Amino acid sequence: LVYGPRSIRVAHYANPDPPFFTIVNYEQVVTDTLDINARLKPDIVILDEAQRIKNWRTKIASAVKRIPSRYAFVLSGTPLENRLEDLYSLMQVVDQKVLGPLWRYLVDFHITDERGKVLGYRNLSELRRRLAPVMLRRDRQLVRDQLPERIESRLDVPLSAPQQELHDAALKAAAQYAKIAQRRPLTPVEQHRLLGALQQARMACDAAGLVDKETQGSPKLDELEGLLDELCAEAGLKAVVFSQWEQMTRMVEERVRRMGLGCVRLHGGVPTDRRGELIDRFNQDAACQVFISTDAGGVGLNLQAASVLINLDIPWNPAVLDQRIARIHRLGQTERVQILLLVAADSYEGRVLELV
């Protein structure tokens, strides 16, 4: 059982003989777990992009863990993204005895306050010792001589007046909830509003239109146009442009097409069976120079045809930023790679980048 674009039903019923291997995506496992166990009875399970099961509470994680097999390989470039529990969920597939029961794992390696909030971690050397027999780690240092040079640059872009107004209003609202949190724990509704305000501040850093749904254009789009004109139109390079917001990618696509550059756009609404077409066109068509994507394309894609990656915004999670960069800076890349971070000047986004 290997993670991939084909469905279990197509792979099984297209051939009446039992297949030697079956490729299936994670979503299909949820609906076809019984068929997989009854008909295929796999001896080995291989999970690619295994961070998809990092949250042990999800239906996908539960379904995958209900598939018995003699052997299992769990592959991931980011086994830890947010919490130490991410690693525990992955290890449940490999060997449930390595880390013991979850309650013991939480006690052994977490530092919490009286309310159970995680403050930090401890005994990490013991955690490494337990994982050593079942983990093979291949970090970037081992393949550094096989990868081309990578240059990262930060470009500070000023906010427009509408952006500044929306940004400051959102931070003011967030600050009010932060003051309340100093006196007492926030209610779930207050936590939601706090995060919503911070999210609005980040959106305003990209374009005012993401928040007010009216304002056209933004300084970041203008800066992007200048970069693409220099790097793609004049130098003939291919570029990948990332934004967390689907609406922002739409604005980018309009601007790129207006420039006369060929492009494709990937987002969560693009059906799985169409994504391969977009990737193939970008990689093989010389006239298609820009790949525009949300973080739906942040993992599992090989886009080495590009040598430029432009981040229009900074994700909260450093693992997400690493995954974006790894789309082009990976084995098979032969050109020097340029990573450009567009950051709203003197804004909350700058603080997010410092934390990341």
Side-chain angles (χ1 to χ4, degrees):
L1 173 68
V2 188
Y3 164 64
R6 292 283 303 277
S7 110
I8 183 79
R9 288 177 178 139
V10 170
H12 181 77
Y13 294 115
N15 183 353
D17 297 323
F20 178 69
F21 66 88
T22 302
I23 300 174
V24 58
N25 62 31
Y26 281 102
E27 288 74 15
Q28 199 69 36
V29 175
V30 177
T31 58
D32 282 352
T33 306
L34 294 177
D35 274 348
I36 292 170
N37 291 338
R39 297 173 179 271
L40 300 181
K41 301 176 183 176
D43 295 307
I44 179 171
V45 171
I46 303 174
L47 305 180
D48 192 20
E49 301 295 350
Q51 64 271 13
R52 287 293 306 277
I53 66 163
K54 68 181 181 179
N55 186 346
W56 53 270
R57 299 179 179 88
T58 63
K59 291 181 179 179
I60 289 177
S62 298
V64 167
K65 294 169 188 177
R66 288 199 300 270
I67 301 173
S69 65
R70 295 174 60 194
Y71 304 100
F73 286 88
V74 172
L75 315 178
S76 176
T78 50
L80 276 174
E81 289 195 357
N82 299 309
R83 304 164 300 171
L84 216 54
E85 292 95 304
D86 296 351
L87 183 61
Y88 184 89
S89 184
L90 270 61
M91 293 308 300
Q92 282 185 303
V93 176
V94 177
D95 187 341
Q96 295 189 12
K97 298 179 181 179
V98 168
L99 298 179
L102 180 58
W103 69 267
R104 183 78 251 179
Y105 177 76
L106 298 177
V107 170
D108 287 345
F109 302 112
H110 289 69
I111 302 171
T112 59
D113 61 16
E114 62 278 2
R115 298 197 300 265
K117 180 181 178 181
V118 176
L119 303 177
Y121 303 101
R122 60 185 176 187
N123 302 327
L124 295 182
S125 59
E126 169 62 17
L127 178 58
R128 293 189 189 96
R129 186 192 66 79
R130 291 195 201 177
L131 293 174
V134 295
M135 176 179 282
L136 175 62
R137 186 179 180 197
R138 193 165 188 252
D139 62 24
R140 196 170 293 275
Q141 299 295 328
L142 296 175
V143 296
R144 184 169 53 186
D145 60 339
Q146 303 173 47
L147 293 172
E149 181 185 5
R150 173 173 129 185
I151 300 174
E152 293 191 25
S153 303
R154 168 178 171 168
L155 301 178
D156 284 0
V157 182
L159 293 172
S160 66
Q163 281 179 287
Q164 190 74 59
E165 183 178 348
L166 293 167
H167 171 271
D168 293 349
L171 285 190
K172 183 177 179 180
Q176 293 175 347
Y177 289 110
K179 289 181 180 179
I180 295 174
Q182 293 175 350
R183 302 193 306 267
R184 61 168 174 80
L186 295 178
T187 66
V189 171
E190 290 170 335
Q191 290 179 352
H192 180 73
R193 290 174 178 171
L194 169 61
L195 292 176
L198 295 177
Q199 192 87 308
Q200 181 171 308
R202 293 178 61 228
M203 294 169 72
C205 289
D206 268 9
L210 296 183
V211 181
D212 64 19
K213 312 301 180 186
E214 295 178 358
T215 306
Q216 299 296 313
S218 78
K220 277 193 180 181
L221 290 172
D222 296 337
E223 182 71 25
L224 175 66
E225 182 173 347
L227 290 171
L228 294 179
D229 183 59
E230 176 184 346
L231 296 168
C232 297
E234 294 182 13
L237 302 177
K238 291 198 174 194
V240 177
V241 180
F242 271 108
S243 175
Q244 180 176 341
W245 324 111
E246 190 271 335
Q247 186 180 352
M248 187 67 176
T249 65
R250 264 189 275 133
M251 295 179 184
V252 172
E253 182 180 28
E254 292 173 4
R255 189 70 65 102
V256 171
R257 293 195 183 282
R258 198 185 312 157
M259 294 174 63
L261 293 173
C263 67
V264 292
R265 184 168 70 96
L266 175 62
H267 53 88
V270 176
T272 302
D273 57 0
R274 280 202 56 232
R275 297 186 180 194
E277 299 174 14
L278 300 182
I279 297 167
D280 290 343
R281 182 184 168 198
F282 178 71
N283 286 331
Q284 299 169 13
D285 185 354
C288 184
Q289 290 184 266
V290 185
F291 190 97
I292 308 163
S293 182
T294 64
D295 289 313
V299 297
L301 301 186
N302 296 314
L303 301 173
Q304 297 98 319
S307 56
V308 177
L309 187 141
I310 302 173
N311 287 292
L312 291 177
D313 38 62
I314 309 302
W316 292 105
N317 192 328
V320 174
L321 187 59
D322 287 342
Q323 285 279 12
R324 288 181 179 183
I325 294 171
R327 295 316 96 214
I328 69 171
H329 193 245
R330 58 195 296 118
L331 291 178
Q333 178 62 264
T334 59
E335 304 294 331
R336 183 180 67 176
V337 169
Q338 298 180 62
I339 309 298
L340 302 172
L341 304 176
L342 271 57
V343 182
D346 301 319
S347 72
Y348 175 63
E349 189 171 59
R351 279 179 262 171
V352 172
L353 179 58
E354 290 174 8
L355 291 172
V356 167

